[in-house]
Amino acid sequence: MFKKIIDNSMAKSPWIYHINTGSCNGCDIELVSVITPRYDAERMGFKLTGTPRHADIVVVSGPVTSQSKERLVRTLAQVPEPRVIVSLGSCPRPCNVFKGSYSVEGPLDKFCEVDVSVAGCTPKPEAIIDGLALAAQILKEKRRQK
Amino acid sequence: MQILLDLFYVLIFPGFLFCAVVGLLLAGIDRKIVARMQKRMGPPIVQPFYDFFKLLGKETIIPHAASRGVFIAAPLLGLVSLVVMALFIPVFGFTAFSGVADLIVILYLLTIPAAAIIVGGAASGSPYAGVGISREMVAIVAYELPLIIVLLTVGKKAALDGGITFSFTEIQAYQAEFGSMLSHWSMIPAAVAMLLVIPSEVGSHPFDVAEAETEICEGPLVEYSGSLLGIYKLNHAIKMFILTALFAALFLGGAGSGILIVDVLLLLLICTVVTILSMSLPHAISARLKVEKMFKFYWTLVTVLAVISLVLVWMGF
Ligand code: SF4
């Protein structure tokens, strides 16, 4: 029973940590708009945390640049299991308009496995909330399989 | 038999289980009220329970730079001291262990959870925690002075022989006979000061300089994860209950109705109202204060309020 309570709580209290790996700031602003009173993701328990140690969901935005690559890998290593990685916007996976640049090392899949990918440049807040809710479910599944 | 009763007191009521459930509920009510004040829907009231159980299910990482023993022991130390405090604070006529502790003990025990945060942060070996603990120390120095003056005022008022009493029993007896402290006008400034001390003691929003997550990544808690972090969150919630219950005992005490259940429900009602007044309201209407601003606020306005009460009581009002 205790295990079940923990499993259910996983989906209901996902804390988000946001890493910017060289995004144009559009996606970052849109992610913040998700926790404003209009969209209020906190009603589903989402909360932005300041440190990767507290995170359940890691949101990555931006094509991975050579400057941010090392930081990304080190930050992801600090997140406790179970964790879910969400790629935000069109940048992290196909590299968007930055593809082929000398300073872009993406896509993100090279460095970690991506669980949820929210497409769009920028994605709408509704789409972000949808992706995060899906991520919360995956978090619960991951916990269950352990 | 006595042993069983003591165990019941420590583990269930008014000890660990009761504190934890009520504390987490109060934290949930606080979050909901703040959300409603900001025109949001807000998380469900049981959200802190979800957070706590989720943290129990996460991996607990102990960093290389941390000193392992202290890192693990610090949150537990805070939890134990909070539960001990719950045993000493009277619920109107009822106290689990009466006659063995008074206000001075409570004053000492109150600093232990804050000290636990400092010790845990120092043991984690993170520079953010270093900044956080120095801020936490400033916060302790800031709110401790008005808190002590408030306690002195209550002690002076409750002593019938002209001295000062620190015994909860006498304070409750006084309030049972002459009406609650809040019904004496000379005590009102002290009550307001106490209401302003509660949020910084708990570390709730406008005064959470030590755990400013947007500036210093949650300060002392930066390296904590999993169940250890869960215990810190539980400590935070229990602290909300303890301090509001202390307020109820000091200013709204009395004989109660004599029936324990009714008294407990009354206490919960008072705790909720005090939580909304002293924590949710400042949280919703104010941004986080700077460290110096907070220090100045407590050593001027709040201390002056407490001193006014002390002087009035000393003159016999
Ligand atoms: S997806 Fe578009 S908006 Fe988002 S970071 Fe990339 S370029 Fe900017």
Side-chain angles (χ1 to χ4, degrees):
Chain A
M1 191 192 87
F2 199 60
K3 190 172 176 299
K4 206 160 179 204
I5 295 179
I6 290 181
D7 286 353
N8 286 336
S9 305
M10 275 283 159
K12 288 188 171 144
S13 144
W15 292 356
I16 304 168
Y17 180 74
H18 175 215
I19 315 177
N20 176 337
T21 53
S23 96
C24 78
N25 213 12
C27 284
D28 309 348
I29 289 170
E30 221 56 18
L31 179 68
V32 175
S33 81
V34 163
I35 52 167
T36 55
R38 192 182 180 93
Y39 297 104
D40 190 26
E42 203 194 349
R43 72 199 138 100
M44 292 179 276
F46 291 108
K47 201 175 108 176
L48 272 182
T49 62
T51 146
R53 294 265 194 236
H54 300 187
D56 306 304
I57 297 180
V58 185
V59 176
V60 184
S61 63
V64 184
T65 58
S66 35
Q67 287 286 330
S68 64
K69 183 184 87 186
E70 202 184 316
R71 279 93 187 160
L72 172 74
V73 173
R74 269 183 65 187
T75 314
L76 285 180
Q78 291 178 16
V79 181
E81 293 287 342
R83 60 161 198 227
V84 171
I85 295 167
V86 176
S87 85
L88 182 62
S90 299
C91 276
R93 301 197 80 183
C95 297
N96 209 1
V97 289
F98 305 108
K99 186 163 186 149
S101 161
Y102 65 93
S103 64
V104 168
E105 307 250 347
L108 178 63
D109 306 54
K110 271 196 219 162
F111 309 106
C112 58
E113 65 179 80
V114 180
D115 298 280
V116 180
S117 157
V118 183
C121 175
T122 63
K124 290 189 115 184
E126 289 91 342
I128 299 179
I129 294 179
D130 192 27
L132 290 178
L134 186 61
Q137 289 306 324
I138 295 178
L139 193 69
K140 184 176 163 184
E141 280 310 309
K142 282 199 174 174
R143 157 81 201 172
R144 217 178 249 158
Q145 278 158 20
K146 243 192 357 158
Chain B
M1 203 53 224
Q2 189 58 37
I3 296 246
L4 278 185
L5 191 65
D6 286 353
L7 265 184
F8 177 78
Y9 281 156
V10 173
L11 292 178
I12 298 176
F13 176 85
F16 175 68
L17 198 67
F18 177 72
C19 283
V21 170
V22 174
L24 289 172
L25 272 181
L26 283 181
I29 292 172
D30 175 47
R31 271 175 84 173
K32 188 83 183 172
I33 297 277
V34 170
R36 293 309 298 166
M37 283 180 186
Q38 295 173 339
K39 282 200 157 191
R40 290 189 285 128
M41 218 144 91
I45 286 179
V46 289
Q47 184 64 41
F49 288 91
Y50 293 143
D51 290 351
F52 177 66
F53 284 116
K54 177 206 72 178
L55 286 170
L56 288 188
K58 295 276 286 184
E59 180 190 4
T60 304
I61 300 173
I62 295 169
H64 270 306
S67 54
R68 202 182 161 86
V70 184
F71 190 75
I72 296 173
L76 295 172
L77 182 73
L79 183 63
V80 169
S81 74
L82 282 164
V83 171
V84 170
M85 239 185 295
L87 300 176
F88 295 149
I89 294 180
V91 183
F92 297 99
F94 168 82
T95 321
F97 297 108
S98 59
V100 285
D102 51 16
L103 283 179
I104 305 282
V105 177
I106 294 288
L107 201 60
Y108 277 116
L109 285 174
L110 265 180
T111 44
I112 293 182
I117 290 182
I118 292 176
V119 171
S124 73
S126 158
Y128 287 113
V131 179
I133 59 179
S134 72
R135 286 174 172 212
E136 178 77 37
M137 282 184 219
V138 174
I140 293 180
V141 174
Y143 65 68
E144 207 83 314
L145 179 70
L147 179 66
I148 291 172
I149 299 176
V150 167
L151 295 184
L152 270 181
T153 315
V154 174
K156 177 73 189 162
K157 182 86 184 163
L160 296 172
D161 54 1
I164 292 184
T165 176
F166 286 113
S167 144
F168 271 122
T169 332
E170 276 179 49
I171 292 174
Q172 293 300 29
Y174 177 87
Q175 297 191 73
E177 201 169 331
F178 299 99
S180 66
M181 286 286 176
L182 211 54
S183 62
H184 303 265
W185 62 270
S186 57
M187 294 302 290
I188 289 178
V192 175
M194 182 72 187
L195 279 182
L196 288 167
V197 166
I198 290 174
S200 74
E201 180 95 45
V202 173
S204 84
H205 180 62
F207 307 111
D208 61 343
V209 286
E211 282 155 42
E213 78 274 4
T214 40
E215 300 162 41
I216 51 169
C217 315
E218 322 239 352
L221 306 186
V222 64
E223 291 291 348
Y224 275 97
S225 59
S227 38
L228 291 178
L229 180 64
I231 293 175
Y232 269 121
K233 295 283 169 200
L234 187 66
N235 284 358
H236 177 90
I238 295 183
K239 234 193 275 175
M240 282 172 110
F241 168 63
I242 295 285
L243 279 155
T244 46
L246 184 64
F247 182 87
L250 290 182
F251 290 100
L252 290 165
S257 62
I259 310 164
L260 190 56
I261 301 279
V262 179
D263 282 353
V264 170
L265 288 180
L266 196 60
L267 177 75
L268 295 188
L269 187 71
I270 295 174
C271 285
T272 314
V273 173
V274 173
T275 305
I276 292 172
L277 273 181
S278 77
M279 282 175 257
S280 311
L281 204 63
H283 184 166
I285 62 179
S286 160
R288 182 181 303 116
L289 295 184
K290 280 199 265 179
V291 188
E292 319 87 78
K293 284 260 173 66
M294 169 176 169
F295 192 76
K296 218 168 135 194
F297 177 74
Y298 276 97
W299 275 43
T300 53
L301 184 77
V302 183
T303 308
V304 165
L305 277 176
V307 168
I308 288 175
S309 255
L310 185 64
V311 171
L312 283 175
V313 169
W314 219 274
M315 294 192 316
F317 286 106

